[in-house]
């Protein structure tokens, strides 16, 4: 599933909430469902918004995002709830599962430390006994 497909599953209320969360307008806007979908898709198609989001994360949050991007299991917690409010994670609360749209995974994998970088950091730590920078 792609983010644009996921946006078609959301109600007008949810799309409006997502728009307000992303854009934080001073004056409320009242758009149609298609206008909200297009605005949210436009927000996430801007690479600067991805870079700002990644830069604002703590190391633990980056690790969680890396695990999500690699399709590893994660516990549904407040951070995943926040990602859901940004439209990046689809939560299926009734079965305690989540889904990350494929294009979101690609964006995350492009911006987060790669698995090779993580493994290289572990190897450096093992060689000299110190933590990698």
């Amino acid at each position: 599933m792609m983010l644009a497909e996921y946006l078609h599953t959301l109600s007008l209320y949810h799309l409006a909430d997502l728009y307000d969360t992303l854009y934080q307008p001073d004056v409320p806007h009242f758009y149609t469902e298609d206008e909200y979908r297009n605005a949210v898709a436009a927000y996430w198609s801007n690479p600067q918004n991805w870079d700002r989001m990644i830069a604002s994360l703590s190391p633990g949050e980056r690790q969680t995002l890396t695990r999500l991007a690699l399709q590893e299991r994660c516990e549904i917690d407040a951070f995943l709830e926040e990602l859901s409010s940004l439209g990046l994670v689809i939560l299926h609360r009734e079965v305690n599962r989540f889904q990350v749209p494929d294009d979101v995974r690609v964006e995350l994998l492009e911006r987060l430390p790669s698995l090779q970088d993580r493994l290289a950091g572990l190897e450096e730590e093992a060689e000299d006994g110190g933590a990698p920078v």
Side-chain angles (χ1 to χ4, degrees), residues 5 15 23 36 42 50 64 69 71 75 98 103-104 123-124:
E5 294 169 0
L15 288 167
Y23 287 98
Y36 279 127
W50 285 101
T64 299
Q71 296 182 323
E75 190 175 311
F98 62 87
D103 50 345
V104 171
E123 290 172 7
E124 288 175 20

Side-chain angles (χ1 to χ4, degrees), residues 12-32:
L12 176 62
Y13 172 77
H14 196 148
L15 288 167
D17 190 44
L18 189 55
Y19 175 88
D20 290 343
T21 300
L22 295 174
Y23 287 98
Q24 299 178 1
D26 292 333
V27 177
H29 294 278
F30 300 101
Y31 296 132
T32 66

